[in-house]
Amino acid sequence: MATSALPLLPPSSHSHISTSTATTTATGGESLRSLPKPTLKTPTVRSLLSRLCQEGQPHLARQLFDTITRPSTVLWNTIIIGFICNNMLDEALLFYSRMKRASPDVQFDSYTYSSTLKACAETRNLRVGKAVRCHFIRSQPNPSKIVYNSLLNMYSACLNSAENDVGGLMDFDYSVNDPVRRVFDRMHRKNVVSWNTLVSWYVKTERYMNAVKQFWTMVKTGIGPSPVGFV
């Protein structure tokens, strides 16, 4: 299965942070008191949150996040991605739900949706994945390729798991109703990740002729195959 990597977050402007940072106690015996108070001479808050997540302390990053008066979308995304990178997928989905409850005060972007769909794929949570899809369709009339690719991956992973649980992929007639193909056809711009996910999906569902046909269609469109496509 072709999976899309988590996106790199774009640079962010400074966010407001409250003075309660110095008195908040984190789990594991470490205190936020030990962290440098953000000033113009220290890294941005996002950089600090990212560093904590990279060091395996996403809960500490979340506690620091909780002291921020008006967190930006980028900061919300940083915590979601931090949980995912630390294999705390359920926490990532819960934080997305919290972000959704905070709207319309906070806006969602492609990084929010693609990261959350990644968590849905990893946890095989089709129900939440469908809810995320409905959310971004309402808020983004023209979703980006990264969101569509994440949606393709989510359906492929979750449907694979769901059908295996009830007796195998071939028990379901995907020639009549194929969510992965339907999402693929809605995409105006496709890249090699999109094609690889579709080809891999056909192989999973044992539609080998379709997989070969789509592989050569991809080549004819001018998109060079990657090693994943050959595998």
Side-chain angles (χ1 to χ4, degrees):
M1 177 180 67
T3 59
S4 55
L6 288 176
L8 294 176
L9 290 171
S12 170
S13 59
H14 288 74
S15 296
H16 299 281
I17 182 165
S18 73
T19 56
S20 61
T21 300
T23 59
T24 304
T25 301
T27 56
E30 185 171 358
S31 172
L32 290 179
R33 186 190 304 276
S34 62
L35 298 175
K37 185 176 179 180
T39 66
L40 293 177
K41 296 182 180 180
T42 58
T44 64
V45 177
R46 189 191 72 82
S47 298
L48 184 56
L49 294 176
S50 295
R51 178 168 63 82
L52 289 170
C53 292
Q54 291 167 6
E55 293 173 352
Q57 303 183 82
H59 280 309
L60 184 58
R62 190 208 64 224
Q63 290 189 17
L64 177 58
F65 174 93
D66 290 341
T67 69
I68 300 171
T69 306
R70 294 185 296 276
S72 66
T73 300
V74 171
L75 297 185
W76 283 95
N77 292 345
T78 300
I79 300 299
I80 292 175
I81 293 175
F83 278 135
I84 295 172
C85 290
N86 283 277
N87 201 33
M88 302 172 68
L89 304 169
D90 290 331
E91 286 84 350
L93 294 179
L94 288 172
F95 203 74
Y96 166 80
S97 298
R98 174 181 165 185
M99 183 178 180
K100 191 174 180 182
R101 291 194 301 271
S103 61
D105 295 332
V106 61
Q107 300 297 316
F108 295 74
D109 62 15
S110 295
Y111 298 100
T112 312
Y113 295 121
S114 61
S115 300
T116 305
L117 287 168
K118 170 74 171 178
C120 292
E122 293 293 330
T123 56
R124 305 299 190 263
N125 196 325
L126 182 61
R127 181 181 61 83
V128 174
K130 287 181 175 180
V132 174
R133 173 185 175 274
C134 293
H135 188 199
F136 79 69
I137 285 178
R138 288 195 301 268
S139 61
Q140 293 188 340
N142 298 302
S144 65
K145 279 188 295 187
I146 191 173
V147 174
Y148 266 128
N149 284 337
S150 297
L151 185 62
L152 283 172
N153 179 56
M154 185 280 295
Y155 271 126
S156 177
C158 292
L159 290 174
N160 183 19
S161 175
E163 292 304 322
N164 279 332
D165 289 343
V166 295
L169 287 165
M170 294 306 295
D171 293 338
F172 191 86
D173 188 1
Y174 285 106
S175 64
V176 176
N177 180 24
D178 189 339
V180 177
R181 179 72 206 207
R182 191 162 60 245
V183 171
F184 182 86
D185 289 339
R186 287 175 62 95
M187 297 179 67
H188 298 297
R189 295 169 295 174
K190 306 174 181 69
N191 59 14
V192 66
V193 175
S194 317
W195 286 96
N196 282 345
T197 304
L198 181 64
V199 170
S200 177
W201 170 243
Y202 279 139
V203 172
K204 285 179 182 178
T205 53
E206 300 183 19
R207 290 176 288 172
Y208 303 115
M209 292 302 297
N210 294 79
V212 173
K213 179 181 178 182
Q214 292 306 312
F215 176 83
W216 288 114
T217 301
M218 175 186 69
V219 173
K220 290 178 182 178
T221 61
I223 297 178
S226 70
V228 174
F230 284 113
V231 173

Short mmCIF file of all heavy atoms in Angstrom, two decimals, residues 153-198:
data_model
loop_
_atom_site.label_atom_id
_atom_site.label_comp_id
_atom_site.label_asym_id
_atom_site.label_seq_id
_atom_site.Cartn_x
_atom_site.Cartn_y
_atom_site.Cartn_z
N ASN A 153 -5.57 6.84 0.89
CA ASN A 153 -4.86 5.93 1.77
C ASN A 153 -5.75 5.47 2.92
O ASN A 153 -5.73 4.30 3.31
CB ASN A 153 -3.61 6.61 2.31
CG ASN A 153 -2.83 5.72 3.25
OD1 ASN A 153 -2.44 4.61 2.90
ND2 ASN A 153 -2.60 6.19 4.47
N MET A 154 -6.55 6.39 3.47
CA MET A 154 -7.43 6.05 4.58
C MET A 154 -8.45 4.99 4.16
O MET A 154 -8.63 3.97 4.85
CB MET A 154 -8.14 7.30 5.10
CG MET A 154 -9.00 7.09 6.35
SD MET A 154 -10.65 6.38 6.05
CE MET A 154 -11.42 7.70 5.10
N TYR A 155 -9.11 5.21 3.02
CA TYR A 155 -10.10 4.23 2.55
C TYR A 155 -9.44 2.88 2.27
O TYR A 155 -9.97 1.83 2.63
CB TYR A 155 -10.79 4.75 1.29
CG TYR A 155 -12.02 5.58 1.58
CD1 TYR A 155 -12.17 6.86 1.05
CD2 TYR A 155 -13.06 5.07 2.35
CE1 TYR A 155 -13.29 7.63 1.31
CE2 TYR A 155 -14.20 5.83 2.61
CZ TYR A 155 -14.30 7.10 2.08
OH TYR A 155 -15.42 7.86 2.34
N SER A 156 -8.29 2.90 1.63
CA SER A 156 -7.61 1.66 1.29
C SER A 156 -7.24 0.87 2.54
O SER A 156 -7.47 -0.34 2.63
CB SER A 156 -6.35 1.97 0.47
OG SER A 156 -5.63 0.79 0.19
N ALA A 157 -6.71 1.55 3.55
CA ALA A 157 -6.31 0.88 4.79
C ALA A 157 -7.52 0.39 5.58
O ALA A 157 -7.55 -0.75 6.05
CB ALA A 157 -5.47 1.83 5.64
N CYS A 158 -8.52 1.25 5.72
CA CYS A 158 -9.68 0.90 6.56
C CYS A 158 -10.56 -0.15 5.92
O CYS A 158 -11.05 -1.07 6.60
CB CYS A 158 -10.49 2.16 6.87
SG CYS A 158 -9.63 3.34 7.94
N LEU A 159 -10.79 -0.05 4.62
CA LEU A 159 -11.63 -1.05 3.95
C LEU A 159 -10.93 -2.39 3.92
O LEU A 159 -11.55 -3.44 4.06
CB LEU A 159 -11.96 -0.59 2.52
CG LEU A 159 -12.92 0.60 2.43
CD1 LEU A 159 -13.07 1.05 0.99
CD2 LEU A 159 -14.29 0.25 3.02
N ASN A 160 -9.63 -2.38 3.75
CA ASN A 160 -8.86 -3.61 3.79
C ASN A 160 -9.07 -4.31 5.12
O ASN A 160 -9.36 -5.49 5.19
CB ASN A 160 -7.37 -3.29 3.59
CG ASN A 160 -6.51 -4.55 3.55
OD1 ASN A 160 -7.00 -5.64 3.33
ND2 ASN A 160 -5.23 -4.37 3.79
N SER A 161 -8.95 -3.57 6.21
CA SER A 161 -9.12 -4.13 7.55
C SER A 161 -10.54 -4.59 7.78
O SER A 161 -10.79 -5.68 8.28
CB SER A 161 -8.72 -3.09 8.60
OG SER A 161 -8.98 -3.57 9.90
N ALA A 162 -11.52 -3.74 7.39
CA ALA A 162 -12.93 -4.07 7.65
C ALA A 162 -13.35 -5.33 6.90
O ALA A 162 -14.01 -6.21 7.46
CB ALA A 162 -13.81 -2.89 7.24
N GLU A 163 -12.94 -5.45 5.64
CA GLU A 163 -13.37 -6.60 4.87
C GLU A 163 -12.67 -7.88 5.34
O GLU A 163 -13.25 -8.95 5.33
CB GLU A 163 -13.08 -6.37 3.38
CG GLU A 163 -13.95 -5.26 2.78
CD GLU A 163 -15.43 -5.53 2.97
OE1 GLU A 163 -15.86 -6.69 2.88
OE2 GLU A 163 -16.17 -4.58 3.22
N ASN A 164 -11.42 -7.77 5.77
CA ASN A 164 -10.74 -8.94 6.30
C ASN A 164 -11.42 -9.44 7.56
O ASN A 164 -11.47 -10.64 7.82
CB ASN A 164 -9.27 -8.61 6.60
CG ASN A 164 -8.40 -8.67 5.35
OD1 ASN A 164 -8.70 -9.40 4.42
ND2 ASN A 164 -7.33 -7.89 5.34
N ASP A 165 -11.98 -8.52 8.34
CA ASP A 165 -12.65 -8.90 9.58
C ASP A 165 -13.92 -9.70 9.32
O ASP A 165 -14.37 -10.45 10.18
CB ASP A 165 -13.01 -7.66 10.40
CG ASP A 165 -11.77 -7.00 11.00
OD1 ASP A 165 -10.72 -7.66 11.05
OD2 ASP A 165 -11.87 -5.82 11.40
N VAL A 166 -14.52 -9.53 8.15
CA VAL A 166 -15.78 -10.23 7.88
C VAL A 166 -15.62 -11.31 6.83
O VAL A 166 -16.59 -11.75 6.24
CB VAL A 166 -16.87 -9.22 7.43
CG1 VAL A 166 -17.20 -8.27 8.55
CG2 VAL A 166 -16.46 -8.47 6.17
N GLY A 167 -14.40 -11.73 6.56
CA GLY A 167 -14.24 -12.90 5.71
C GLY A 167 -13.50 -12.69 4.43
O GLY A 167 -13.47 -13.59 3.60
N GLY A 168 -12.89 -11.54 4.21
CA GLY A 168 -12.07 -11.38 3.01
C GLY A 168 -12.57 -10.30 2.09
O GLY A 168 -13.76 -10.02 2.00
N LEU A 169 -11.61 -9.72 1.38
CA LEU A 169 -11.94 -8.61 0.49
C LEU A 169 -12.83 -9.03 -0.66
O LEU A 169 -13.64 -8.25 -1.15
CB LEU A 169 -10.63 -8.02 -0.06
CG LEU A 169 -9.81 -7.20 0.94
CD1 LEU A 169 -8.40 -6.99 0.40
CD2 LEU A 169 -10.46 -5.86 1.20
N MET A 170 -12.66 -10.25 -1.14
CA MET A 170 -13.41 -10.67 -2.31
C MET A 170 -14.87 -10.93 -2.03
O MET A 170 -15.66 -11.19 -2.92
CB MET A 170 -12.76 -11.93 -2.92
CG MET A 170 -11.36 -11.67 -3.50
SD MET A 170 -11.35 -10.32 -4.71
CE MET A 170 -12.35 -11.03 -6.00
N ASP A 171 -15.28 -10.92 -0.74
CA ASP A 171 -16.69 -11.09 -0.42
C ASP A 171 -17.50 -9.84 -0.75
O ASP A 171 -18.73 -9.86 -0.71
CB ASP A 171 -16.85 -11.41 1.08
CG ASP A 171 -16.27 -12.78 1.43
OD1 ASP A 171 -16.15 -13.60 0.50
OD2 ASP A 171 -15.93 -13.00 2.60
N PHE A 172 -16.80 -8.74 -1.05
CA PHE A 172 -17.48 -7.48 -1.34
C PHE A 172 -17.27 -7.13 -2.80
O PHE A 172 -16.15 -7.24 -3.32
CB PHE A 172 -16.93 -6.36 -0.45
CG PHE A 172 -17.73 -5.10 -0.50
CD1 PHE A 172 -18.82 -4.91 0.32
CD2 PHE A 172 -17.40 -4.08 -1.39
CE1 PHE A 172 -19.56 -3.75 0.27
CE2 PHE A 172 -18.14 -2.92 -1.46
CZ PHE A 172 -19.23 -2.75 -0.61
N ASP A 173 -18.32 -6.74 -3.49
CA ASP A 173 -18.25 -6.44 -4.91
C ASP A 173 -17.83 -4.99 -5.13
O ASP A 173 -18.67 -4.09 -5.16
CB ASP A 173 -19.60 -6.72 -5.58
CG ASP A 173 -19.50 -6.61 -7.10
OD1 ASP A 173 -18.39 -6.34 -7.61
OD2 ASP A 173 -20.53 -6.81 -7.77
N TYR A 174 -16.53 -4.75 -5.26
CA TYR A 174 -16.03 -3.40 -5.45
C TYR A 174 -16.25 -2.89 -6.87
O TYR A 174 -16.05 -1.72 -7.14
CB TYR A 174 -14.55 -3.32 -5.09
CG TYR A 174 -14.30 -3.34 -3.60
CD1 TYR A 174 -13.79 -4.47 -2.98
CD2 TYR A 174 -14.61 -2.24 -2.81
CE1 TYR A 174 -13.58 -4.50 -1.62
CE2 TYR A 174 -14.40 -2.25 -1.45
CZ TYR A 174 -13.89 -3.38 -0.86
OH TYR A 174 -13.69 -3.40 0.50
N SER A 175 -16.66 -3.76 -7.77
CA SER A 175 -16.98 -3.29 -9.12
C SER A 175 -18.27 -2.47 -9.11
O SER A 175 -18.52 -1.67 -10.01
CB SER A 175 -17.12 -4.47 -10.08
OG SER A 175 -18.21 -5.31 -9.70
N VAL A 176 -19.09 -2.66 -8.07
CA VAL A 176 -20.33 -1.92 -7.94
C VAL A 176 -20.13 -0.66 -7.10
O VAL A 176 -20.63 0.42 -7.43
CB VAL A 176 -21.43 -2.81 -7.30
CG1 VAL A 176 -22.71 -2.01 -7.08
CG2 VAL A 176 -21.69 -4.04 -8.17
N ASN A 177 -19.40 -0.80 -6.02
CA ASN A 177 -19.19 0.33 -5.12
C ASN A 177 -17.74 0.32 -4.63
O ASN A 177 -17.37 -0.47 -3.77
CB ASN A 177 -20.15 0.24 -3.92
CG ASN A 177 -19.97 1.40 -2.97
OD1 ASN A 177 -19.50 2.46 -3.33
ND2 ASN A 177 -20.37 1.19 -1.71
N ASP A 178 -16.93 1.18 -5.22
CA ASP A 178 -15.51 1.24 -4.88
C ASP A 178 -15.17 2.64 -4.40
O ASP A 178 -14.93 3.55 -5.21
CB ASP A 178 -14.65 0.87 -6.09
CG ASP A 178 -13.18 0.70 -5.73
OD1 ASP A 178 -12.76 1.23 -4.69
OD2 ASP A 178 -12.46 0.04 -6.49
N PRO A 179 -15.15 2.88 -3.08
CA PRO A 179 -14.86 4.22 -2.56
C PRO A 179 -13.49 4.75 -2.97
O PRO A 179 -13.32 5.95 -3.20
CB PRO A 179 -14.94 4.03 -1.04
CG PRO A 179 -15.79 2.81 -0.85
CD PRO A 179 -15.47 1.93 -2.01
N VAL A 180 -12.50 3.86 -3.05
CA VAL A 180 -11.15 4.30 -3.42
C VAL A 180 -11.15 4.84 -4.85
O VAL A 180 -10.62 5.92 -5.13
CB VAL A 180 -10.14 3.15 -3.26
CG1 VAL A 180 -8.75 3.59 -3.72
CG2 VAL A 180 -10.09 2.67 -1.81
N ARG A 181 -11.75 4.09 -5.76
CA ARG A 181 -11.81 4.53 -7.16
C ARG A 181 -12.63 5.81 -7.29
O ARG A 181 -12.31 6.70 -8.09
CB ARG A 181 -12.42 3.42 -8.02
CG ARG A 181 -12.54 3.80 -9.49
CD ARG A 181 -11.18 3.81 -10.14
NE ARG A 181 -11.12 4.70 -11.29
CZ ARG A 181 -10.27 4.53 -12.31
NH1 ARG A 181 -9.43 3.50 -12.31
NH2 ARG A 181 -10.23 5.38 -13.29
N ARG A 182 -13.69 5.92 -6.51
CA ARG A 182 -14.55 7.10 -6.58
C ARG A 182 -13.78 8.36 -6.16
O ARG A 182 -13.89 9.41 -6.81
CB ARG A 182 -15.78 6.90 -5.70
CG ARG A 182 -16.87 7.95 -5.91
CD ARG A 182 -18.20 7.48 -5.37
NE ARG A 182 -18.14 7.22 -3.94
CZ ARG A 182 -18.31 6.00 -3.39
NH1 ARG A 182 -18.52 4.96 -4.17
NH2 ARG A 182 -18.26 5.83 -2.09
N VAL A 183 -13.00 8.24 -5.10
CA VAL A 183 -12.19 9.38 -4.67
C VAL A 183 -11.14 9.72 -5.73
O VAL A 183 -10.91 10.88 -6.06
CB VAL A 183 -11.50 9.09 -3.32
CG1 VAL A 183 -10.49 10.18 -2.97
CG2 VAL A 183 -12.54 8.97 -2.20
N PHE A 184 -10.50 8.70 -6.27
CA PHE A 184 -9.49 8.90 -7.30
C PHE A 184 -10.06 9.66 -8.51
O PHE A 184 -9.43 10.57 -9.05
CB PHE A 184 -8.92 7.55 -7.74
CG PHE A 184 -7.84 7.63 -8.78
CD1 PHE A 184 -6.52 7.82 -8.41
CD2 PHE A 184 -8.15 7.50 -10.12
CE1 PHE A 184 -5.51 7.90 -9.36
CE2 PHE A 184 -7.15 7.58 -11.08
CZ PHE A 184 -5.83 7.77 -10.71
N ASP A 185 -11.26 9.28 -8.93
CA ASP A 185 -11.88 9.91 -10.10
C ASP A 185 -12.26 11.36 -9.84
O ASP A 185 -12.38 12.15 -10.77
CB ASP A 185 -13.12 9.12 -10.53
CG ASP A 185 -12.76 7.78 -11.16
OD1 ASP A 185 -11.61 7.64 -11.61
OD2 ASP A 185 -13.63 6.88 -11.19
N ARG A 186 -12.46 11.72 -8.57
CA ARG A 186 -12.81 13.11 -8.24
C ARG A 186 -11.60 14.04 -8.26
O ARG A 186 -11.76 15.25 -8.29
CB ARG A 186 -13.46 13.17 -6.85
CG ARG A 186 -14.88 12.63 -6.79
CD ARG A 186 -15.37 12.62 -5.35
NE ARG A 186 -15.41 13.98 -4.81
CZ ARG A 186 -16.48 14.76 -4.80
NH1 ARG A 186 -17.62 14.30 -5.32
NH2 ARG A 186 -16.44 15.96 -4.27
N MET A 187 -10.41 13.47 -8.24
CA MET A 187 -9.20 14.28 -8.19
C MET A 187 -8.93 14.93 -9.55
O MET A 187 -8.87 14.26 -10.57
CB MET A 187 -8.00 13.43 -7.78
CG MET A 187 -8.10 12.84 -6.40
SD MET A 187 -6.65 11.80 -5.97
CE MET A 187 -5.36 13.06 -5.88
N HIS A 188 -8.76 16.24 -9.53
CA HIS A 188 -8.44 16.95 -10.77
C HIS A 188 -6.96 16.84 -11.10
O HIS A 188 -6.57 16.81 -12.26
CB HIS A 188 -8.83 18.43 -10.65
CG HIS A 188 -10.29 18.65 -10.42
ND1 HIS A 188 -11.26 18.28 -11.35
CD2 HIS A 188 -10.97 19.17 -9.36
CE1 HIS A 188 -12.46 18.59 -10.88
NE2 HIS A 188 -12.31 19.12 -9.67
N ARG A 189 -6.12 16.77 -10.06
CA ARG A 189 -4.67 16.65 -10.26
C ARG A 189 -4.16 15.46 -9.48
O ARG A 189 -4.32 15.38 -8.27
CB ARG A 189 -3.97 17.94 -9.79
CG ARG A 189 -4.32 19.17 -10.62
CD ARG A 189 -3.80 20.43 -9.93
NE ARG A 189 -4.49 20.64 -8.65
CZ ARG A 189 -4.17 21.59 -7.78
NH1 ARG A 189 -3.15 22.40 -8.04
NH2 ARG A 189 -4.85 21.73 -6.66
N LYS A 190 -3.56 14.52 -10.19
CA LYS A 190 -3.05 13.30 -9.57
C LYS A 190 -1.54 13.26 -9.72
O LYS A 190 -0.99 13.71 -10.71
CB LYS A 190 -3.68 12.07 -10.23
CG LYS A 190 -5.20 12.07 -10.26
CD LYS A 190 -5.74 10.90 -11.07
CE LYS A 190 -7.26 10.90 -11.13
NZ LYS A 190 -7.81 12.01 -11.93
N ASN A 191 -0.88 12.69 -8.71
CA ASN A 191 0.56 12.49 -8.80
C ASN A 191 0.87 11.01 -8.63
O ASN A 191 -0.04 10.16 -8.57
CB ASN A 191 1.30 13.35 -7.77
CG ASN A 191 0.87 13.05 -6.34
OD1 ASN A 191 0.22 12.03 -6.06
ND2 ASN A 191 1.24 13.91 -5.42
N VAL A 192 2.14 10.68 -8.55
CA VAL A 192 2.53 9.27 -8.50
C VAL A 192 1.99 8.59 -7.24
O VAL A 192 1.68 7.39 -7.26
CB VAL A 192 4.07 9.14 -8.60
CG1 VAL A 192 4.75 9.73 -7.36
CG2 VAL A 192 4.48 7.69 -8.80
N VAL A 193 1.84 9.34 -6.15
CA VAL A 193 1.28 8.76 -4.92
C VAL A 193 -0.16 8.33 -5.14
O VAL A 193 -0.58 7.25 -4.71
CB VAL A 193 1.38 9.78 -3.75
CG1 VAL A 193 0.69 9.23 -2.51
CG2 VAL A 193 2.83 10.10 -3.44
N SER A 194 -0.92 9.16 -5.83
CA SER A 194 -2.33 8.84 -6.12
C SER A 194 -2.42 7.56 -6.94
O SER A 194 -3.21 6.65 -6.61
CB SER A 194 -2.99 10.00 -6.88
OG SER A 194 -2.65 11.25 -6.36
N TRP A 195 -1.63 7.49 -8.00
CA TRP A 195 -1.67 6.32 -8.87
C TRP A 195 -1.20 5.07 -8.14
O TRP A 195 -1.80 3.99 -8.29
CB TRP A 195 -0.82 6.56 -10.12
CG TRP A 195 -1.45 7.50 -11.11
CD1 TRP A 195 -1.23 8.84 -11.25
CD2 TRP A 195 -2.42 7.16 -12.11
NE1 TRP A 195 -1.99 9.36 -12.26
CE2 TRP A 195 -2.73 8.36 -12.82
CE3 TRP A 195 -3.05 5.98 -12.49
CZ2 TRP A 195 -3.64 8.40 -13.87
CZ3 TRP A 195 -3.96 6.01 -13.54
CH2 TRP A 195 -4.25 7.20 -14.22
N ASN A 196 -0.13 5.18 -7.37
CA ASN A 196 0.37 4.02 -6.64
C ASN A 196 -0.66 3.48 -5.66
O ASN A 196 -0.79 2.26 -5.48
CB ASN A 196 1.64 4.39 -5.87
CG ASN A 196 2.87 4.44 -6.76
OD1 ASN A 196 2.85 3.96 -7.89
ND2 ASN A 196 3.93 5.04 -6.26
N THR A 197 -1.38 4.38 -5.00
CA THR A 197 -2.40 3.95 -4.04
C THR A 197 -3.51 3.18 -4.76
O THR A 197 -3.97 2.14 -4.27
CB THR A 197 -3.00 5.15 -3.30
OG1 THR A 197 -1.95 5.88 -2.66
CG2 THR A 197 -4.01 4.70 -2.26
N LEU A 198 -3.93 3.67 -5.93
CA LEU A 198 -4.98 2.98 -6.68
C LEU A 198 -4.50 1.62 -7.17
O LEU A 198 -5.22 0.62 -7.04
CB LEU A 198 -5.43 3.84 -7.86
CG LEU A 198 -6.54 3.24 -8.72
CD1 LEU A 198 -7.82 3.10 -7.92
CD2 LEU A 198 -6.79 4.10 -9.97
#
